[in-house]
Amino acid sequence: MSETLTAQAPAPEAARPKTRRRAPETLALLVFLVAEVIFFSVKSPYFLNWDNWGNILTAVSITGVLAMAGTLVMVGGQFDLSVGSGVAFVGIVLVQAAPVLGIWPALGLAVLAGLGIGLLNGFLVTVVGVNALITTLGMLGIFRGLTLVIGKGQSIFIEGFDWATARPFLGIPMPAVVLVVVVAVFFVLMRFTVFGRKVYAIGANPVAARLVGIRVNRVLFAGFLLSGACMALAGLMVTSQLGSSSANTGVGLELAVVTAVILGGTSLSGGTGTIGGTVVGLLIVGVLSNGLTLLNVDSSWQQVATGVLLILAVAVDRLRQTYMRRNG
């Protein structure tokens, strides 16, 4: 009887997982987002307009889809900086193949192109053992160059592929609907599945994860493959929105994705981060860009503001890591 009572007794306070440490940083992000909304609402009468919020969600949809997979990969302690060129490559494959093969076979080929990039990244990182940062930077250059070669440096248009311009529900743009679905999928994947728990364990301590039987390379490979799938989806979305694709498609998406993910609380060293935090980080960037546009701030200064946000996010991440180490 005493053994049973001992087994059912609550764990000592020191042994309980400290799950409340993320609350302050998430709260701070939400406070900053609310402050942005209040500021731009006062400064512009158009900011709180329903159509304007549709514009904000549409503007962040491409980055958001990529940032969901980016969060997963970074929580696992890896990077994928090839997303921008991957989006462009998917788009150029689609617009080049559609007149020859037809739209549906071209769609399948474009999706395979995105998955192929994820597969190459995963193979080089998990099988060959090349550093993820070097691998994906190399892929960024390779696929940006291939996109330029295939498209001959021109914008190539596509007809009959405008699904992303539709507003199927309450006037909400289709890209926003897609973003919500992708966020929901990755939220469930990261929070409620064994795979998600394995990603967190690998990011926190890959050696310990391997010792407890987690197939680290297989999990990381799957993460890069999911990133490739998101590249494919984002490439189809942006091509549909623009009605064309070129070598300049997706330029700067790497910075936008990294900014949203790190700003949302995902650690550069892996092991911590949430999909919800990334969504808040994404909205902070999106609201800032939209608000500055409504205030007629030059686009160059908007890029400066995004760069400042990235530096602040990294600085906050380092301070958070120092705090966590000092407080156990």
Side-chain angles (χ1 to χ4, degrees):
M1 177 69 72
S2 61
E3 292 180 358
T4 303
L5 291 175
T6 302
Q8 293 179 348
E13 188 68 26
R16 293 177 184 172
K18 299 178 180 180
T19 58
R20 299 170 65 182
R21 280 182 177 165
R22 279 188 195 140
E25 70 192 49
T26 305
L27 181 61
L29 288 172
L30 288 171
V31 169
F32 188 84
L33 177 60
V34 170
E36 275 190 328
V37 171
I38 293 173
F39 175 80
F40 289 122
S41 299
V42 172
K43 289 293 184 179
S44 173
Y46 306 104
F47 180 77
L48 288 181
N49 186 280
W50 177 256
D51 289 336
N52 184 57
W53 276 94
N55 293 334
I56 292 174
L57 292 176
T58 300
V60 302
S61 60
I62 305 299
T63 303
V65 167
L66 296 170
M68 295 304 105
T71 302
L72 185 151
V73 171
M74 197 174 292
V75 166
Q78 306 297 315
F79 292 89
D80 190 350
L81 300 179
S82 64
V83 292
S85 59
V87 166
F89 185 72
V90 168
I92 208 70
V93 168
L94 175 63
V95 298
Q96 288 282 33
V100 179
L101 303 176
I103 190 66
W104 289 108
L107 276 172
L109 190 61
V111 171
L112 287 177
L115 291 174
I117 296 173
L119 188 149
L120 279 173
N121 285 336
F123 176 80
L124 290 172
V125 173
T126 64
V127 179
V128 180
V130 183
N131 178 273
L133 184 63
I134 301 302
T135 295
T136 56
L137 274 175
M139 288 298 175
L140 184 156
I142 289 170
F143 284 99
R144 183 65 66 185
L146 285 175
T147 302
L148 184 62
V149 170
I150 294 172
K152 298 180 175 61
Q154 300 176 347
S155 292
I156 302 175
F157 295 88
I158 183 171
E159 296 182 358
F161 191 68
D162 57 354
W163 62 273
T165 62
R167 292 175 176 259
F169 180 70
L170 296 177
I172 301 173
M174 180 61 78
V177 176
V178 173
L179 176 60
V180 170
V181 172
V182 173
V183 167
V185 169
F186 274 87
F187 179 81
V188 172
L189 184 66
M190 293 292 289
R191 183 156 185 172
F192 299 109
T193 69
V194 174
F195 176 80
R197 290 193 289 272
K198 288 179 179 179
V199 172
Y200 279 103
I202 291 169
N205 192 328
V207 175
R210 188 174 286 107
L211 289 175
V212 298
I214 296 175
R215 296 184 177 181
V216 172
N217 287 342
R218 180 175 293 186
V219 173
L220 294 178
F221 185 90
F224 281 109
L225 203 58
L226 285 171
S227 183
C230 286
M231 286 184 218
L233 178 57
L236 298 181
M237 288 171 64
V238 72
T239 303
S240 178
Q241 285 178 313
L242 299 175
S244 65
S245 187
S246 71
N248 293 324
T249 301
V251 172
L253 274 176
E254 301 84 8
L255 174 63
V257 169
V258 170
T259 301
V261 173
I262 298 178
L263 187 62
T266 301
S267 173
L268 283 168
S269 58
T272 59
T274 63
I275 294 298
T278 297
V279 170
V280 177
L282 187 71
L283 289 175
I284 287 174
V285 176
V287 167
L288 178 65
S289 178
N290 178 268
L292 292 177
T293 300
L294 290 177
L295 297 181
N296 296 317
V297 176
D298 188 87
S299 60
S300 300
W301 285 109
Q302 294 183 31
Q303 294 182 20
V304 171
T306 301
V308 170
L309 270 180
L310 177 58
I311 294 172
L312 288 175
V314 173
V316 169
D317 175 63
R318 289 306 178 191
L319 290 173
R320 182 169 61 246
Q321 291 300 313
T322 302
Y323 171 81
M324 295 291 284
R325 283 195 298 269
R326 288 178 178 176
N327 293 273

